[in-house]
Amino acid sequence: MKNKRFCKFGPFTIDTAAKVVLRDGHPMHLTRKAVETLLVLAENCEQIVTKEELLGAVWNGQIVDEANLKQNIAVIRHALAVDPDSPGHIETYSRRGYRMIGPVEYVDEAPLAPSGPNGSKPALESFYRRARTPVIAGIVIAIGLSTWIAFRERPQSRIDFRVIPVTRLAGKEFQPAISADGRKVAFAWTQEVAGPTGISIQTAGSGNPQAVTKQPGRYVSPAWSPDGKSLAYLRTSTASTEVLITDLGSGKERLVADLPTPDYGYDYRLLDWSPDGRLLAAAHSESADTPLGIFLIDIQTGERRRLTQPGASVGGDVDPRFSPDGKSVSFVRIIHRSNQELFIVPIGGGTPRQLTTDGKQVAGHDWTANSKSIIFSSDRGGEFRLWRIDPLGTSPGNSLRSIGIYGEFPIQLSLARKSPTLVYSELHQDRNIWRLDLKENRWTRIVASSGQDASPQYSPSGDRICFRSDRSGEDQLWVSDADGANPAQITHGALWPSVGHWSPDGQSIVFNNARTRETYVARSGATGAWKVTKLGAQGVHPVFSADGRWIFAGSDESIVRIPAQGGTPSELVKARGLSIGVSPDGTFLYFMRDPYGSSLWRASLSTGEVTKALDGVIPSCTSCWALAPGGIYYVGSGPQSAAEQVIYYYDLRSRKTREVTPYPEPFPPLGSGPFSLSPDRRYLLCVRVDPSSSDVMRVEPFR
């Protein structure tokens, strides 16, 4: 009963009157706000308590930053000493709230602490038991607690630090990089949704940040020289990616290298500076049909040497970091939009060694100053948090430890080499599904949540849409009305579904497991429930044929045909196929051949002949197009900048392209999924990122 004074869960007891938490009868060091947060969760055990409800209950109408709540949860988790690989007593529901995992029991008396020497009771417990009122009990506990904290042995898993803001600017600050001495933080900053991105520096103790880049453009990936006197960064144009260095004393900027293709759409920092000051490590692709690899660039000559060469089936290698001893380069390999892993390679080259095997997202990483640990950001525990790993051990996964910094979005981070300081920012990106009225050129948001909503597809009748969303805590397929109403989840469990494509009769949806490539069909029953079955074949981005008898799916070598009821696949087109689409008349297959290319191809279903359909799709967005009778809608770069996108229409007969409308904000090609044209050709479904902000935070001391 909740009217009883003590609340018990596991080895813990909360004195609801004195606002004190006991572990096995011993008081714990928790702030009052942390205890109040824990109480609210306990009182709503097994129910999700939203962030808004927690803020209202604990702070009682005060205007506070959401970071206060996150830090409270982190403090509680440290105090409860939960297993880093499990949610412990508190489970996070990304972008929604928190839930206490029960059971919770309310009792009249607190548990007794173990007896002291000769059977005597610990002094703190004796005082506590003699206290007559909650007020006296609170005073006594506070006095005893300070003594207990002073003399107790601190567990090695506990990390004490403070988190303070570095920047609180309008817009979004991301990709932070801290100087070796810890005094200066460089970061990418965009003040407006569709505005330019520049590089700025915030110095500790100063007011406004100092702008490093002067001309408008898209500047990203700042990297400090070892002596802190220069800053390197990238500038992306429609034709290339420039590697630039600015001398911070003179303000003079010089070009180090001009890389031949624009690397657009990657949130990671793509640049780092070697400890000896001679080299830059850059993530880059040499051509549109190859994934990003890590290259070493000589700062004086601009000469570059390839260090890693990932396979064609992965997204590429990004986020390079030199080890402080200069012997190795670590990096993140993009396996899939929801799966990245950490790798390390000797600076002289060789086969990269994999450090993580979680099958989760890795958002950023950096080395500690002694080269013994890597701190990385991952959602391997269910939400994004920081982890520590030993990169030099024989079994790195066994050394994993969680650090008490949590986030709802991917965390980008940087560690100072000569100061116990870490900086980080959360990259807020809220993807939602919008409908573009092609007749009136008007945007309407139709599917939105605090999760990531993407990959929309109209049903053949146009009255429903299928889309992918992680609003339930994991990526699944959903179906809703055409206006976004009445959403219903149709897949469950560890399926990792790709884009869902409808059958011609609108009763089935085909998709593949994004990690195993296994193909599945979800079929709607008479009661409206959906049943998912495995087809027994592999392929990517499967679609139904125009008559519904076959399923076409891509592979690394060819496009295959699978019977719609399941069976053995057979080769249909001798060409690699990604993001497949069937022409409205059913005579052609359209597809992309390269994950990073900008050319759309088509194959005749009668002859198998493969020809190029159009050029100009923005790189790394294999599904940013939609077929129409006689033409193709697609998103391409704007005429002035790679950071600006435009929706175009390509007429297949005249072979002419016309502009439909500019994209309202920069388009994120990775993870957004395909466009979809309504059957009446009036509307185009697209994914847009709602305006967001992110600040840079400082953690110290960090050891």
Side-chain angles (χ1 to χ4, degrees):
M1 297 176 62
K2 296 183 180 180
N3 59 351
K4 295 187 178 181
R5 176 169 172 175
F6 298 97
C7 169
K8 290 180 58 180
F9 60 99
F12 305 99
T13 302
I14 309 174
D15 184 330
T16 61
K19 300 294 193 296
V20 173
V21 179
L22 309 174
R23 179 171 189 155
D24 295 325
H26 291 288
M28 302 180 66
H29 177 39
L30 277 172
T31 65
R32 188 179 182 89
K33 290 295 185 189
V35 178
E36 290 175 349
T37 303
L38 193 54
L39 267 174
V40 174
L41 292 172
E43 290 168 356
N44 296 276
C45 181
E46 302 294 355
Q47 298 181 39
I48 299 174
V49 184
T50 67
K51 294 175 292 184
E52 293 76 16
E53 289 170 340
L54 278 169
L55 288 170
V58 177
W59 279 270
N60 194 27
Q62 299 178 47
I63 299 176
V64 295
D65 197 299
E66 193 175 301
N68 294 73
L69 176 58
K70 293 180 184 178
Q71 195 58 28
N72 252 11
I73 297 294
V75 167
I76 293 169
R77 281 179 164 140
H78 272 307
L80 302 185
V82 300
D83 181 349
D85 292 318
S86 72
H89 297 280
I90 301 176
E91 191 172 26
T92 298
Y93 285 78
S94 184
R95 293 176 288 278
R96 295 174 63 190
Y98 304 93
R99 178 177 75 101
M100 175 173 276
I101 302 173
V104 168
E105 179 186 5
Y106 285 85
V107 297
D108 288 317
E109 294 187 356
L112 296 178
S115 298
N118 302 319
S120 63
K121 294 188 186 316
L124 180 58
E125 183 188 322
S126 297
F127 285 133
Y128 182 79
R129 296 282 293 165
R130 289 198 300 267
R132 299 298 183 115
T133 67
V135 174
I136 296 175
I139 294 172
V140 172
I141 287 173
I143 296 172
L145 187 58
S146 63
T147 305
W148 175 69
I149 292 167
F151 289 99
R152 74 182 177 92
E153 182 180 13
R154 179 170 296 170
Q156 292 183 355
S157 62
R158 184 178 177 85
I159 301 174
D160 290 321
F161 49 73
R162 61 192 182 113
V163 180
I164 58 176
V166 174
T167 64
R168 292 285 197 186
L169 304 173
K172 182 167 65 175
E173 307 100 71
F174 58 105
Q175 295 181 348
I178 191 168
S179 59
D181 61 9
R183 294 191 64 250
K184 297 181 178 181
V185 179
F187 55 93
W189 180 22
T190 177
Q191 300 184 51
E192 301 175 2
V193 173
T197 300
I199 303 296
S200 295
I201 294 175
Q202 182 69 55
T203 302
S206 66
N208 296 326
Q210 167 197 354
V212 177
T213 53
K214 309 299 182 183
Q215 301 298 321
R218 185 176 183 273
Y219 299 84
V220 293
S221 303
W224 286 96
S225 62
D227 60 9
K229 295 181 179 180
S230 300
L231 196 69
Y233 45 87
L234 303 177
R235 177 170 62 201
T236 302
S237 68
T238 55
S240 66
T241 297
E242 297 173 314
V243 182
L244 303 165
I245 291 179
T246 286
D247 181 291
L248 298 176
S250 66
K252 185 177 180 180
E253 181 184 77
R254 72 179 181 91
L255 177 67
V256 176
D258 192 356
L259 307 179
T261 57
D263 294 318
Y264 168 74
Y266 295 89
D267 298 324
Y268 297 86
R269 269 178 54 204
L270 304 180
L271 202 63
D272 197 37
W273 205 314
S274 66
D276 62 9
R278 295 175 47 249
L279 301 171
L280 292 172
H284 176 63
S285 58
E286 291 184 300
S287 62
D289 59 351
T290 59
L292 272 70
I294 306 299
F295 290 81
L296 298 181
I297 302 175
D298 188 295
I299 288 176
Q300 296 303 319
T301 66
E303 180 181 354
R304 60 184 179 270
R305 170 172 64 90
R306 178 183 281 276
L307 190 60
T308 73
Q309 189 159 9
S313 62
V314 303
D317 297 338
V318 295
D319 206 45
R321 296 291 183 274
F322 285 99
S323 60
D325 59 14
K327 296 180 180 180
S328 306
V329 173
S330 56
F331 59 92
V332 175
R333 176 159 288 177
I334 301 175
I335 312 298
H336 181 258
R337 57 178 166 77
S338 61
N339 178 13
Q340 300 91 44
E341 305 290 359
L342 272 178
F343 284 76
I344 184 173
V345 63
I347 195 171
T351 302
R353 182 165 59 94
Q354 189 167 346
L355 299 180
T356 62
T357 56
D358 296 322
K360 297 290 187 177
Q361 296 185 65
V362 177
H365 80 292
D366 205 353
W367 292 74
T368 56
N370 59 10
S371 295
K372 292 183 178 180
S373 297
I374 286 177
I375 308 300
F376 69 100
S377 159
S378 174
D379 63 348
R380 69 184 306 273
E383 72 216 293
F384 279 97
R385 67 176 86 171
L386 297 191
W387 300 80
R388 185 188 299 267
I389 190 172
D390 174 10
L392 305 179
T394 55
S395 300
N398 296 336
S399 67
L400 274 172
R401 286 181 290 161
S402 176
I403 297 171
I405 296 175
Y406 298 79
E408 296 186 28
F409 294 90
I411 301 174
Q412 301 175 330
L413 64 117
S414 176
L415 282 159
R417 292 288 180 260
K418 300 178 181 179
S419 170
T421 309
L422 176 146
V423 294
Y424 73 92
S425 65
E426 282 189 66
L427 189 66
H428 294 218
Q429 284 198 332
D430 183 14
R431 288 177 172 85
N432 292 303
I433 297 171
W434 292 69
R435 183 180 65 204
L436 173 63
D437 188 320
L438 295 169
K439 182 178 180 180
E440 300 183 4
N441 193 24
R442 183 178 69 247
W443 291 92
T444 303
R445 188 171 65 176
I446 61 169
V447 176
S449 71
S450 56
Q452 303 294 309
D453 303 303
S455 303
Q457 287 290 284
Y458 273 114
S459 65
S461 59
D463 61 342
R464 291 178 295 170
I465 60 173
C466 175
F467 62 95
R468 192 185 73 243
S469 177
D470 65 356
R471 61 181 66 189
S472 65
E474 56 186 6
D475 260 352
Q476 299 293 348
L477 292 182
W478 292 66
V479 169
S480 73
D481 297 342
D483 61 358
N486 302 312
Q489 185 175 334
I490 68 169
T491 63
H492 301 80
L495 289 178
W496 295 287
S498 65
V499 180
H501 286 280
W502 296 86
S503 60
D505 62 5
Q507 298 302 305
S508 300
I509 293 174
V510 65
F511 63 94
N512 71 273
N513 183 312
R515 299 187 182 181
T516 67
R517 298 192 174 191
E518 191 74 33
T519 52
Y520 295 82
V521 170
R523 293 184 172 89
S524 178
T527 62
W530 291 79
K531 181 180 179 181
V532 177
T533 58
K534 187 183 295 187
L535 286 177
Q538 289 189 328
V540 296
H541 300 153
V543 297
F544 279 96
S545 62
D547 59 11
R549 296 175 53 220
W550 303 96
I551 290 170
F552 306 133
S555 72
D556 291 340
E557 303 296 333
S558 62
I559 298 174
V560 299
R561 183 175 66 174
I562 307 167
Q565 300 303 316
T568 304
S570 59
E571 185 176 271
L572 182 65
V573 177
K574 189 67 175 178
R576 183 185 189 188
L578 301 170
S579 302
I580 300 169
V582 181
S583 62
D585 61 7
T587 59
F588 287 96
L589 282 183
Y590 286 79
F591 56 94
M592 301 287 283
R593 299 178 68 168
D594 306 303
Y596 327 97
S598 57
S599 298
L600 183 66
W601 298 77
R602 74 176 185 178
S604 169
L605 285 173
S606 59
T607 67
E609 181 185 7
V610 176
T611 57
K612 185 183 291 187
L614 67 85
D615 284 315
V617 180
I618 63 171
S620 302
C621 196
T622 60
S623 55
C624 300
W625 49 274
L627 298 174
I632 304 167
Y633 290 94
Y634 70 97
V635 62
S637 297
Q640 304 299 324
S641 170
E644 299 173 356
Q645 287 75 50
V646 173
I647 295 177
Y648 297 98
Y649 178 77
Y650 177 73
D651 189 292
L652 290 168
R653 294 179 180 176
S654 67
R655 298 184 179 180
K656 292 183 178 180
T657 300
R658 64 176 174 86
E659 179 177 319
V660 177
T661 187
Y663 232 84
E665 62 275 315
F667 181 81
L670 300 177
S672 293
F675 290 179
S676 183
L677 184 68
S678 62
D680 61 6
R681 310 176 201 174
R682 173 72 181 267
Y683 302 108
L684 189 68
L685 292 180
C686 310
V687 171
R688 289 174 50 183
V689 175
D690 279 0
S692 61
S693 63
S694 56
D695 299 314
V696 179
M697 309 299 289
R698 183 184 189 94
V699 180
E700 58 184 4
F702 186 89
R703 296 180 176 89

